[in-house]
């Protein structure tokens, strides 16, 4: 998957604005179960927002990059303890970036 352009990233950030945080990274950090949940959520929604709890030993940036790598997604943005991941569907993607 090629890297997002700044224009595409801006569009995704705008779309992510209204999203609720659906997953949290806790003191177990990025677990196999969290990767599985994130993978399923990306398959269903393409764009998801996550949060790193204060009890976690990783930063939001570290968690975002690790989860993105594990799920073959891209990090859209990291702000404070929250981050947004994006992975387009191969078929019938609801989000167009052109």
């Amino acid at each position: 998957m090629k890297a997002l352009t700044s224009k595409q990233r801006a569009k995704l950030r705008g779309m992510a604005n209204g999203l609720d945080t659906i997953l949290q990274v806790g003191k177990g950090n990025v677990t196999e179960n969290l990767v599985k949940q994130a993978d399923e959520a990306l398959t269903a929604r393409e764009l998801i927002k996550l949060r790193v709890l204060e009890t976690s030993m990783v930063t939001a940036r570290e968690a975002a990059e690790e989860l993105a790598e594990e799920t073959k997604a891209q990090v859209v943005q990291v702000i404070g303890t929250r981050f947004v991941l994006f992975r387009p569907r191969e078929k019938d993607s609801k989000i167009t970036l052109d």
Side-chain angles (χ1 to χ4, degrees), residues 4 8-9 12-13 16 47 74-78 84-86:
L4 295 168
Q8 291 171 328
R9 202 175 291 280
L12 290 169
R13 277 199 305 264
L47 189 66
Q74 293 196 38
V75 179
V76 174
Q77 76 176 357
V78 179
V84 177
L85 297 179
F86 171 67

Side-chain angles (χ1 to χ4, degrees), residues 36-90:
K36 184 173 176 271
Q37 288 179 315
D39 190 56
E40 289 170 359
L42 283 162
T43 299
R45 302 171 184 222
E46 297 179 88
L47 189 66
I48 60 171
K49 188 184 287 185
L50 302 94
R51 186 167 87 110
V52 175
L53 300 176
E54 290 173 17
T55 56
S56 178
M57 297 298 161
V58 294
T59 65
R61 168 73 52 197
E62 291 166 340
E65 288 174 359
E66 188 176 340
L67 263 174
E69 193 176 309
E70 294 280 341
T71 60
K72 295 176 179 43
Q74 293 196 38
V75 179
V76 174
Q77 76 176 357
V78 179
I79 297 179
T81 60
R82 294 186 184 345
F83 60 96
V84 177
L85 297 179
F86 171 67
R87 186 181 70 202
R89 288 192 196 114
E90 290 182 23

